[in-house]
Amino acid sequence: MGLRLKIGATITATAALAALVTGVQVPRLMEDRARDQAMERLGIAERGYREDGQARFGAKVNPPNLPDELRRTVLNGRRATYVQAYGERRQIWAATSVGDDILALKQFEDPLSDQLQAGMFRAGVVGTAVATLIGLLLATRLGRRLRLSARRAEQITGGDLDARLPQSGRDEITTLTRAVNTMADALAERLRAEREVTANIAHELRTPVAGLVAAAGLLPDGRAESMVKERVARMRDLMEDVLEVARLDNGGEEADVRLVELGTLARRAVRAVEHTEVRLDIVADALLETDARRVERVLTNLVSNALRHGAEPVVVEVEGGVVRVRDRGAGFPEHLLAHGPRRFQTSAVGKGLGLGLTIAAGQARVLDARLTFTNPEGGGACAVLDLSGAVRDEPAGG
């Protein structure tokens, strides 16, 4: 049950309970008042009867229709009242013992009591309906504010560091909103600082790494030369990856759009990894209007990640505007499935800094494509790049 229904149901139940309690108590109060009036009249009649033996004010001595229960009570030496149904109305008896006799009188209950009870019932129904309507309106307003705040929080979680929760009013929701916005400001500032430091370090290393690459090329052929070139190449690739992540984080990247065949881009990506255990299946090709370089980059990173962290064989399947990259490994880690790829975060048993999938996700955002990660029931991992929005021709058989 949503918050709106909960608040509305609570207010409705409270209003209905208040109307019920009032409807029950007020008739009782009216009855008690009528009993008191009857006892007052009986007291006056009793004083007159004791003075001159005359029954006045509607009182009678030993009335034959006196209720038996009231008669027994009075014979036990107590003054009492008794409510007796009389057709659709009720009459109230009051009786007391005077010597060996019983002095009693009766009066009909005020007809306004029934009218008041009916009026209160109607008022309770109307009041409950009005309270329900007001409660639903209030709950709808609060629910709308909470839903909007939740959407903004999801945007912040998704990486939109400029999104903020709307602040209006002076209630507890506003206090919570202000606290969340303050936390988002601090988080955004921290992330910006971390990204700036990462980008600055990569930029500072660019010149020394370029010098190392040039120096490695001057080494004489041999085992040492091969090891140095391999390490320097890995350092250069890592530095370029960090710079690419920094550029994607800044949000200034734009796609260079042109018409390309998705199958051709998939073939290039498979050839780029230079691995024999990668199989390409083109179920249905498609003509896309997209950035070919960025699509290749995404697919190359997905295939490389599958080879590095998964298990062979790796299958790349093209079907229309969708590309699936599958492997037979242990699957993607839970944190990646829940939150998506994060830089400098990989699986517990994996190697690397988690930049490959981070770059793939960033490039997919630039392409306005959808990149998802799943662990199929049969085992392994599957990354899906959905470029359906860029399709400009019907898929052709491959």
Side-chain angles (χ1 to χ4, degrees), residues 87-116:
E88 295 181 356
R89 300 179 63 187
R90 298 189 305 173
Q91 57 185 6
I92 299 177
W93 287 88
T96 185
S97 61
V98 181
D100 295 332
D101 297 323
I102 295 178
L103 183 67
L105 58 81
K106 63 180 178 181
Q107 66 181 31
F108 285 103
E109 192 175 33
D110 191 347
L112 292 177
S113 176
D114 294 335
Q115 298 176 12
L116 178 62

Side-chain angles (χ1 to χ4, degrees), residues 60-128:
K60 294 182 179 180
V61 179
N62 299 321
N65 57 342
L66 185 69
D68 293 337
E69 183 177 347
L70 179 60
R71 184 187 304 275
R72 288 192 297 269
T73 302
V74 172
L75 291 178
N76 288 331
R78 291 187 297 171
R79 175 182 296 189
T81 58
Y82 184 81
V83 179
Q84 184 181 41
Y86 189 82
E88 295 181 356
R89 300 179 63 187
R90 298 189 305 173
Q91 57 185 6
I92 299 177
W93 287 88
T96 185
S97 61
V98 181
D100 295 332
D101 297 323
I102 295 178
L103 183 67
L105 58 81
K106 63 180 178 181
Q107 66 181 31
F108 285 103
E109 192 175 33
D110 191 347
L112 292 177
S113 176
D114 294 335
Q115 298 176 12
L116 178 62
Q117 188 172 4
M120 290 187 62
F121 176 77
R122 291 192 295 269
V125 172
V126 174
T128 301

Side-chain angles (χ1 to χ4, degrees), residues 43-302:
I44 296 174
E46 181 185 3
R47 287 194 294 271
Y49 183 77
R50 290 182 183 279
E51 290 176 357
D52 55 18
Q54 298 294 322
R56 300 182 179 84
F57 303 106
K60 294 182 179 180
V61 179
N62 299 321
N65 57 342
L66 185 69
D68 293 337
E69 183 177 347
L70 179 60
R71 184 187 304 275
R72 288 192 297 269
T73 302
V74 172
L75 291 178
N76 288 331
R78 291 187 297 171
R79 175 182 296 189
T81 58
Y82 184 81
V83 179
Q84 184 181 41
Y86 189 82
E88 295 181 356
R89 300 179 63 187
R90 298 189 305 173
Q91 57 185 6
I92 299 177
W93 287 88
T96 185
S97 61
V98 181
D100 295 332
D101 297 323
I102 295 178
L103 183 67
L105 58 81
K106 63 180 178 181
Q107 66 181 31
F108 285 103
E109 192 175 33
D110 191 347
L112 292 177
S113 176
D114 294 335
Q115 298 176 12
L116 178 62
Q117 188 172 4
M120 290 187 62
F121 176 77
R122 291 192 295 269
V125 172
V126 174
T128 301
V130 172
T132 301
L133 179 61
I134 295 175
L136 288 175
L137 292 176
L138 176 62
T140 300
R141 183 171 180 272
L142 293 176
R144 187 182 299 114
R145 291 174 61 192
L146 290 174
R147 285 193 299 273
L148 181 58
S149 298
R151 285 197 295 269
R152 291 291 187 273
E154 290 174 354
Q155 287 180 298
I156 296 173
T157 303
D160 186 359
L161 301 181
D162 294 326
R164 292 295 179 271
L165 277 63
Q167 298 185 27
S168 61
R170 299 180 179 178
D171 53 12
E172 290 78 2
I173 296 180
T174 304
T175 302
L176 176 62
T177 297
R178 190 179 299 112
V180 173
N181 284 342
T182 301
M183 179 184 68
D185 290 336
L187 177 61
E189 185 62 30
R190 180 176 177 180
L191 289 177
R192 289 191 184 100
E194 290 181 355
R195 290 172 178 176
E196 288 178 2
V197 169
T198 303
N200 290 336
I201 291 175
H203 279 292
E204 291 296 328
L205 289 176
R206 201 168 193 176
T207 301
V209 170
L212 286 175
V213 172
L218 300 177
L219 293 175
D221 293 339
R223 182 179 178 186
E225 178 263 349
S226 299
M227 293 178 61
V228 171
K229 283 186 176 181
E230 180 186 356
R231 300 299 189 273
V232 170
R234 289 180 60 184
M235 183 180 296
R236 179 193 58 200
D237 293 342
L238 174 60
M239 181 195 65
E240 294 297 335
D241 286 348
V242 172
L243 287 175
E244 186 171 357
V245 170
R247 288 194 298 270
L248 292 171
D249 286 342
N250 291 332
E253 296 287 288
E254 293 184 0
D256 181 15
V257 177
R258 58 189 178 89
L259 287 175
V260 293
E261 289 185 350
L262 184 56
T264 301
L265 301 182
R267 290 189 185 94
R268 293 177 185 173
V270 171
R271 285 198 299 267
V273 297
E274 298 180 350
H275 201 287
T276 58
E277 292 298 328
V278 179
R279 189 176 80 245
L280 175 62
D281 291 340
I282 301 180
V283 178
D285 205 346
L287 189 64
L288 307 181
E289 189 174 354
T290 186
D291 190 323
R293 181 186 65 84
R294 297 183 189 276
V295 173
E296 284 186 47
R297 178 66 158 148
V298 173
L299 296 180
T300 301
N301 283 15
L302 294 179

